[in-house]
Amino acid sequence: MSKKAIVTDKAPAAIGPYSAGIISNGSINVSGQLGLDPATGKLAGDDVQSQTRQSLTNMKSILGAAGASMADVVETEVLLADINDFAAMNEVYAEFFEAPYPARCAFQVAALPAGGLVEIKCVARVDA
């Protein structure tokens, strides 16, 4: 099995021993993306909508660096600091995907890094 790290300056750099994304045998796994602005390293805003938009923009940039797009995403996982933010997150999420939509799970967690309100990861498939 071969695997290659996906690197782009259009998304925040990994802040630990992990890759922003890995491509392997036609599968692209994008690590959880907080709503961090890659230019500042800070959260894109204080609300879940702005952080969701930035999280998905980061995801889109990582996929683009791998030669893929949001249309290639087959599964997402959404972590929320407060499940009551689900509807607001979902409004922004819908701006980034078209039918057939990726499979998805979403749940509340005790806390997210950097005080984030949302973190989203994905799996995309491309021709190997």
Side-chain angles (χ1 to χ4, degrees):
M1 174 183 79
S2 66
K3 64 181 183 178
K4 178 183 172 191
I6 303 166
V7 180
T8 178
D9 60 0
K10 295 180 181 175
I15 54 173
Y18 66 93
S19 298
I22 291 286
I23 186 165
S24 177
N25 300 324
S27 177
I28 301 171
N29 292 279
V30 176
S31 293
Q33 296 298 304
L34 293 165
L36 294 174
D37 181 330
T40 66
K42 298 188 184 303
L43 291 169
D46 294 331
D47 59 278
V48 74
Q49 293 96 336
S50 58
Q51 289 185 30
T52 298
R53 187 167 283 108
Q54 187 64 56
S55 170
L56 292 169
T57 298
N58 294 342
M59 180 185 295
K60 185 176 179 179
S61 295
I62 294 165
L63 290 168
S69 72
M70 298 299 266
D72 297 310
V73 174
V74 296
E75 181 181 16
T76 63
E77 184 173 304
V78 179
L79 309 177
L80 293 163
D82 184 348
I83 200 67
N84 292 313
D85 285 336
F86 180 84
M89 173 282 299
N90 204 43
E91 284 182 32
V92 176
Y93 182 97
E95 297 171 11
F96 285 81
F97 295 102
E98 296 178 2
Y101 300 103
R104 178 177 78 181
C105 67
F107 48 93
Q108 179 173 312
V109 295
L112 291 168
L117 301 176
V118 62
E119 182 174 357
I120 306 172
K121 70 175 291 291
C122 79
V123 176
R125 301 275 189 247
V126 293
D127 292 330

